[in-house]
């Protein structure tokens, strides 16, 4: 069934049916409900090209990944975020366009996107402290939402972020309350804003307990299993090794667990580990009882919320920046325990 046939069946104009399906506010609720029910009953799907012509929109959302960050596409964190975002896009009739671009070519690409009009908005990932993409997209007038924040820029743009500083401050304080004093931080790349904030939370919690951070117990790298293993293996070989680790991702925590096992130590008894981002569809943190103690924040929910914010900006241009802060909850698992006696 096409739009014309659906309109004839409902004895409505094609314009009214189209507006009802696309959420225009001037359509009465009773009419909108009637149209939606008929569309479901007759398995009617709007023609994307026709919808784009009618609305003047491309009905696509852009996500641009520079080649230096291409590992993100196989990262389960990115996968969950994209899954959540896609749920919102599909519901609104949008497609997602994923583009891989050479480093240094992003400005050219964004200007070309604006000129061609082949996407209606942009989702920005992995912002740095003073990310130049924010200013560029504001200049181009493209609707965008940043997944994260850029701490060194004025906060006059739309973003969705997790309270990284508070999450890592709380996790560090939890380990300190268990008696740990040699706590290692295995962090992501600290030129990225989220990792900078996590380090700040860790350092602040140590300071509140009268402790100074030890550079030998702090590392910053890509969030992979191998990097987690290498960092933990090196630190456990120190003359005064850590009794606890705070990891920025599940993959790093898995690598840390491997290093702990290689050192013939018991997880949760000899060495404690806390991870972040354990609520992942394809990398579960155990079954009934979590393996790792974790600061948990749903990436799928973050993707869904950020996409909804971006779609609202596209539908209502010229509005105020939209900002949303998510909080992580501390989940106690089997990987933490009191500091061992030396």
């Amino acid at each position: 069934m096409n739009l014309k046939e659906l309109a004839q069946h409902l004895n409505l104009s094609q314009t009214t049916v189209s507006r009802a399906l696309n959420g225009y506010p001037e359509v009465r609720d009773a009419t909108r409900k009637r149209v939606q029910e008929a569309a479901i009953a007759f398995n009617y799907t709007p023609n994307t090209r026709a919808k784009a012509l009618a609305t003047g929109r491309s009905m696509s959302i852009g996500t641009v990944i520079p080649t230096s960050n291409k590992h993100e596409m196989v990262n389960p964190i990115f996968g969950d975020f994209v899954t959540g975002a896609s749920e919102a896009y599909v519901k609104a009739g949008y497609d997602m366009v994923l583009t891989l671009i050479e480093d240094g070519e992003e400005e050219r690409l964004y200007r070309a996107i604006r000129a061609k009009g082949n996407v209606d908005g942009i989702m920005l990932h992995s912002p740095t402290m003073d990310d130049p993409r924010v200013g560029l997209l504001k200049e181009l007038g493209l609707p965008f939402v940043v997944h994260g924040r850029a701490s060194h820029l004025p906060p006059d743009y739309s973003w969705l972020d997790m309270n990284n500083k508070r999450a890592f401050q709380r996790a560090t304080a939890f380990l300190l309350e268990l008696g740990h004093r040699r706590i290692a931080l295995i962090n992501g790349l600290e030129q990225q804003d989220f990792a900078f904030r996590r380090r700040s939370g860790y350092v602040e919690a140590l300071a509140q307990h009268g402790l100074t951070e030890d550079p030998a117990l702090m590392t910053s790298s890509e969030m992979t299993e191998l990097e987690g293993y290498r960092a933990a293996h090196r630190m456990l070989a120190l003359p005064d090794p850590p009794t606890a680790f705070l990891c920025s991702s599940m993959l790093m925590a898995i690598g840390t667990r491997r290093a702990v096992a290689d050192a013939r130590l018991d997880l949760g008894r000899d060495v404690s580990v806390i991870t972040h981002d354990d609520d992942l569809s394809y990398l579960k943190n155990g079954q009934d009882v979590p393996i790792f103690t974790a600061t948990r924040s749903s990436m799928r929910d973050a993707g869904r919320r950020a996409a909804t914010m971006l779609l609202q900006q596209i539908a209502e241009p010229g509005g105020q920046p939209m900002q949303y802060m998510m909080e992580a909850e501390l989940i106690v698992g089997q990987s933490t325990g009191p500091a061992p006696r030396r």
Side-chain angles (χ1 to χ4, degrees), residues 111-155:
R111 291 190 182 280
I113 286 172
R114 186 69 179 93
K116 293 177 182 176
N118 53 1
V119 301
D120 297 322
I122 296 287
M123 186 69 71
L124 284 186
H125 295 273
S126 303
T128 57
M129 304 291 289
D130 51 0
D131 203 302
R133 296 174 297 176
V134 173
L136 175 62
L137 291 175
K138 286 166 63 178
E139 174 196 330
L140 295 174
L142 266 173
F144 70 96
V145 169
V146 181
H147 178 212
R149 285 174 287 170
S151 294
H152 292 169
L153 297 180

Side-chain angles (χ1 to χ4, degrees), residues 1 6 21 33-45:
M1 175 176 281
L6 181 62
L21 291 172
K33 183 178 179 182
R34 183 174 158 228
V35 171
Q36 289 172 342
E37 289 175 348
I40 293 170
F42 291 102
N43 197 28
Y44 170 74
T45 302

Side-chain angles (χ1 to χ4, degrees), residues 32-229:
R32 188 191 319 280
K33 183 178 179 182
R34 183 174 158 228
V35 171
Q36 289 172 342
E37 289 175 348
I40 293 170
F42 291 102
N43 197 28
Y44 170 74
T45 302
N47 181 286
T48 303
R49 184 171 296 177
K51 185 175 181 180
L53 289 171
T55 61
R57 297 175 185 154
S58 68
M59 305 308 297
S60 297
I61 301 295
T63 294
V64 179
I65 303 294
T67 51
S68 60
N69 291 340
K70 63 184 178 182
H71 62 274
E72 286 187 13
M73 291 186 291
V74 295
N75 191 318
I77 296 171
F78 180 75
D80 263 30
F81 184 92
V82 168
T83 298
S86 295
E87 290 172 358
Y89 297 153
V90 169
K91 188 176 180 181
Y94 274 79
D95 296 321
M96 186 183 79
V97 179
L98 182 62
T99 304
L100 188 65
I101 187 74
E102 291 292 330
D103 291 325
E105 292 292 311
E106 282 185 281
E107 180 174 349
R108 179 192 60 77
L109 177 63
Y110 284 127
R111 291 190 182 280
I113 286 172
R114 186 69 179 93
K116 293 177 182 176
N118 53 1
V119 301
D120 297 322
I122 296 287
M123 186 69 71
L124 284 186
H125 295 273
S126 303
T128 57
M129 304 291 289
D130 51 0
D131 203 302
R133 296 174 297 176
V134 173
L136 175 62
L137 291 175
K138 286 166 63 178
E139 174 196 330
L140 295 174
L142 266 173
F144 70 96
V145 169
V146 181
H147 178 212
R149 285 174 287 170
S151 294
H152 292 169
L153 297 180
D156 57 345
Y157 58 92
S158 294
W159 53 261
L160 177 141
D161 200 7
M162 199 279 297
N163 198 334
N164 288 285
K165 181 177 180 179
R166 185 177 299 173
F168 273 56
Q169 188 175 17
R170 186 180 180 191
T172 306
F174 177 78
L175 291 169
L176 290 164
E177 288 164 7
L178 289 172
H180 295 276
R181 292 298 179 267
R182 297 284 288 168
I183 302 171
L185 173 66
I186 301 183
N187 203 5
L189 294 168
E190 289 179 359
Q191 66 264 38
Q192 294 182 340
D193 196 87
F194 77 88
F196 172 81
R197 291 178 185 274
R198 291 177 185 181
R199 176 174 175 159
S200 297
Y202 160 82
V203 170
E204 191 168 304
L206 291 177
Q208 288 171 349
H209 285 74
L211 300 174
T212 303
E213 68 271 20
D214 182 349
L217 299 185
M218 301 168 69
T219 185
S220 167
S221 64
E222 289 193 49
M223 296 192 295
T224 65
E225 190 274 348
L226 182 58
E227 290 296 339
Y229 172 80

